[in-house]
C-alpha cells in the first residue's frame, strides 16, 4: 500500500478541462503523473460503459472533467455526463465497490490551477481508497 | 413497445453466483429502445458483474450476445454454438424473450436480468408511460385515442370518477385523469356528444380473464 501509485483516467472535455490541463502546463503547474487524460469532444460523449471499461481494465479511479454548469459548448453535455457519473456511482455501490472511485468535476478552460488542484485531490482520494479491487483480486490476467 | 427495467443488481448477482460461465443475451427490439436490455446495457451489466466477482476473487467468464429479436425462435437459434461453453444464460429481454430461450435450450438455466413492466410509449428521453394493457378489444376509436383501461387508475369505461381534480387523478397529482383527457380531446374534435353514450360493461374474456391468449393466422401458420 505504501508504494501504491494510483492509475487514474480522466475524460476531459476539449473545450474546458483539456484546455485547462494545457493551461496548467503553460503555467508550469505540476500535477500528479498518475492522471492519464483522454480528450473527448464533450463530456456528453462519455458513456457509462467507457467508465466501467476503464475500471475493468485496471484504473483505480476515473473522473470526468467537463465545463462549468451552463457553459457546455454543446448546451447540456456536461449535465448528461453528471447524470451518467451518478448512475455509475450507484452501480458501483450496488456491486460492492466504492462509488467514490468515480467523480464528475467541472471547470472552465482558464482554470489551470483548478485542473492541477483537482488532479492532486482526486489522486490523493484514490490513494486513500487503495488499489482497485480488480487489481488486487486473483485472476486479473484473464480480463482482456 | 414492451418496457422493462433492470432488476436490482444483488438479485442478478445471487442468481449467477453458483456459475462460472455466463451467456448474457440482449435484444435489439423493445428493451433496446427503453434502454433496459440492448447491446449497451448488456455491455454495462457484463462489466458490472465482472467487477463484482473480481472483487470476490473470481473471474467470471461472460459472453455477450445481443439478438435481433429474442422472442423469435429463428434468432434464438443463433445461440446454439454458445450453449456448450456456458453454465447458465442471463436474458435482458422481456419475459417473452426469456421464455423463448428457456423453451429452446431446456438443459440450461435461464435467468431474467430485467423486470418486464408494461406496454408503453416514450414521453420524452428517459421517460416511458403505460399506454396499452392489451385488452383484446380496443376502444380507442370511442375515446378520442386515449385509453381508459391503461390510463385510468380504475379502468373506468364511463368516467371520470369523483377522484378527478383539476385534470389529475386522486392517486397522484402527477397522474393525468384519463377521462379528463378524453373529454378535452372529444371537445377538440367536436365529438363531445359521443361522451353521453354510456359504454356497456366490457367483456374481459378477450383480455387475460379468458386465460392465456394466442393468435392463429391460418394463412400464415399453414
Amino acid at each position: 500500500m505504501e508504494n501504491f501509485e494510483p492509475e487514474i483516467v480522466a475524460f476531459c472535455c476539449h473545450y474546458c478541462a483539456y484546455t485547462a490541463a494545457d493551461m496548467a502546463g503553460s503555467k508550469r503547474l505540476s500535477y500528479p503523473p498518475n492522471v492519464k487524460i483522454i480528450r473527448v469532444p464533450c463530456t456528453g460523449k462519455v458513456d457509462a460503459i467507457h467508465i466501467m471499461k476503464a475500471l475493468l481494465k485496471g484504473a483505480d479511479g476515473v473522473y470526468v472533467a467537463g465545463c462549468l454548469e451552463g457553459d457546455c459548448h454543446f448546451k447540456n453535455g456536461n449535465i448528461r455526463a453528471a447524470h451518467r457519473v451518478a448512475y455509475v456511482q450507484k452501480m458501483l455501490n450496488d456491486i460492492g465497490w466504492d462509488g467514490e472511485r468515480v467523480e464528475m468535476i467541472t471547470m472552465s478552460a482558464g482554470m489551470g490551477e483548478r485542473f492541477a488542484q483537482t488532479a492532486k485531490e482526486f489522486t490523493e482520494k484514490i490513494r486513500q481508497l487503495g488499489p482497485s479491487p480488480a487489481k488486487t483480486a486473483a485472476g486479473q490476467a484473464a480480463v482482456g | 413497445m414492451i418496457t422493462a427495467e433492470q432488476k436490482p443488481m444483488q438479485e442478478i448477482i445471487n442468481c449467477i453466483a453458483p456459475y462460472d460461465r455466463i451467456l448474457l443475451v440482449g435484444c435489439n427490439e423493445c428493451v433496446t429502445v427503453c434502454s433496459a436490455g440492448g447491446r449497451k446495457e448488456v455491455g454495462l451489466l457484463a462489466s458490472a458483474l465482472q467487477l463484482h466477482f473480481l472483487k470476490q476473487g473470481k473471474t467470471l467468464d461472460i459472453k455477450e450476445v445481443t439478438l435481433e429479436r429474442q422472442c423469435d425462435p429463428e434468432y434464438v437459434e443463433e445461440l446454439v454454438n454458445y450453449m456448450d461453453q456456458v453454465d447458465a444464460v442471463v436474458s435482458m429481454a422481456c419475459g417473452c424473450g426469456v421464455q423463448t430461450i428457456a423453451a429452446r435450450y431446456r438443459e440450461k438455466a435461464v435467468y431474467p436480468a430485467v423486470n418486464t413492466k408494461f406496454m408503453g410509449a416514450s414521453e420524452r428521453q428517459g421517460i416511458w408511460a403505460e399506454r396499452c394493457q392489451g385488452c383484446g378489444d380496443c376502444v380507442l376509436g370511442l375515446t378520442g385515442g386515449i385509453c381508459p383501461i391503461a390510463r385510468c387508475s380504475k379502468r373506468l369505461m364511463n368516467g371520470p370518477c369523483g377522484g378527478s381534480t383539476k385534470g389529475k387523478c386522486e392517486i397522484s397529482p402527477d397522474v393525468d385523469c384519463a377521462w379528463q383527457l378524453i373529454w378535452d380531446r372529444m371537445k377538440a374534435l367536436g365529438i363531445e356528444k359521443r361522451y353521453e353514450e354510456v359504454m356497456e360493461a366490457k367483456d374481459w374474456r378477450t383480455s387475460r380473464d379468458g386465460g392465456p391468449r394466442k393468435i392463429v393466422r391460418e394463412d400464415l401458420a399453414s
Side-chain angles (χ1 to χ4, degrees):
Chain A
M1 277 289 274
E2 279 179 17
N3 298 324
F4 168 54
E5 281 299 334
E7 283 186 77
I8 289 161
V9 173
F11 291 99
C12 294
C13 162
H14 166 80
Y15 290 95
C16 54
Y18 190 82
T19 311
D22 213 19
M23 176 81 76
S26 305
K27 288 187 169 180
R28 299 284 185 266
L29 299 168
S30 69
Y31 62 88
N34 312 57
V35 179
K36 311 283 188 281
I37 295 175
I38 297 177
R39 181 169 65 160
V40 289
C42 170
T43 49
K45 176 66 190 159
V46 181
D47 195 83
I49 192 72
H50 299 130
I51 301 171
M52 294 298 276
K53 289 287 182 194
L55 293 171
L56 198 54
K57 289 192 181 276
D60 299 295
V62 179
Y63 66 86
V64 179
C67 302
L68 297 169
E69 205 166 313
D71 283 351
C72 175
H73 191 76
F74 299 100
K75 201 172 165 194
N76 59 359
N78 53 350
I79 306 291
R80 287 171 190 266
H83 289 156
R84 288 174 197 156
V85 167
Y87 180 80
V88 173
Q89 284 174 328
K90 182 184 178 305
M91 184 178 269
L92 291 176
N93 288 330
D94 286 350
I95 60 170
W97 277 49
D98 204 324
E100 282 191 53
R101 287 186 184 277
V102 175
E103 197 173 310
M104 179 79 199
I105 295 165
T106 56
M107 65 188 72
S108 78
M111 293 177 166
E113 286 87 356
R114 176 161 165 77
F115 182 87
Q117 187 60 29
T118 52
K120 275 182 206 157
E121 285 170 7
F122 192 77
T123 304
E124 214 36 58
K125 185 171 87 174
I126 298 300
R127 204 189 296 281
Q128 299 300 319
L129 287 174
S132 154
K135 272 182 180 166
T136 52
Q140 168 61 19
V143 179
Chain B
M1 85 194 92
I2 295 174
T3 60
E5 265 184 330
Q6 192 175 308
K7 279 181 174 286
M9 197 61 82
Q10 195 56 50
E11 190 181 336
I12 302 171
I13 289 168
N14 291 345
C15 285
I16 66 166
Y19 307 106
D20 295 324
R21 303 174 305 164
I22 298 293
L23 179 63
L24 185 58
V25 193
C27 177
N28 258 344
E29 296 283 349
C30 316
V31 286
T32 294
V33 183
C34 68
S35 300
R39 183 168 286 121
K40 191 185 262 189
E41 290 74 32
V42 165
L44 212 48
L45 180 60
S47 307
L49 292 173
Q50 279 174 314
L51 287 179
H52 169 80
F53 285 103
L54 270 176
K55 196 178 179 190
Q56 317 290 316
K58 172 171 147 181
T59 306
L60 189 67
D61 176 7
I62 294 196
K63 291 183 171 45
E64 303 171 28
V65 184
T66 302
L67 300 177
E68 194 56 39
R69 199 157 50 242
Q70 223 181 99
C71 54
D72 261 340
E74 54 264 50
Y75 293 111
V76 168
E77 197 61 33
E78 291 171 18
L79 302 176
V80 71
N81 293 328
Y82 292 97
M83 286 301 163
D84 56 351
Q85 302 166 41
V86 299
D87 304 319
V89 180
V90 175
S91 166
M92 297 195 80
C94 69
C96 309
V98 178
Q99 291 181 66
T100 309
I101 292 180
R104 170 61 182 84
Y105 303 104
R106 290 175 178 277
E107 72 287 1
K108 289 281 182 249
V110 184
Y111 298 99
V114 302
N115 289 322
T116 307
K117 306 291 275 191
F118 50 77
M119 283 187 274
S122 178
E123 283 193 341
R124 62 182 172 89
Q125 175 75 6
I127 298 178
W128 297 272
E130 185 158 24
R131 288 289 180 267
C132 178
Q133 289 205 340
C135 71
D137 184 15
C138 192
V139 296
L140 284 171
L142 304 173
T143 55
I146 292 145
C147 180
I149 297 155
R151 300 176 69 174
C152 168
S153 303
K154 292 176 173 172
R155 303 186 201 185
L156 289 182
M157 298 303 290
N158 297 282
C161 69
S164 176
T165 309
K166 293 180 182 165
K168 299 292 176 187
C169 176
E170 64 185 339
I171 67 157
S172 162
D174 298 328
V175 176
D176 287 325
C177 168
W179 275 100
Q180 180 71 54
L181 295 176
I182 291 169
W183 169 250
D184 292 344
R185 180 94 174 114
M186 282 181 164
K187 244 175 40 173
L189 293 172
I191 54 170
E192 59 263 53
K193 270 190 179 169
R194 197 185 287 174
Y195 179 76
E196 299 294 329
E197 295 169 18
V198 174
M199 275 201 261
E200 290 184 6
K202 191 170 169 61
D203 181 355
W204 288 100
R205 285 175 298 181
T206 56
S207 183
R208 272 288 299 157
D209 299 38
R213 292 169 283 176
K214 193 180 258 189
I215 296 172
V216 180
R217 277 276 301 268
E218 297 289 356
D219 56 326
L220 300 175
S222 56

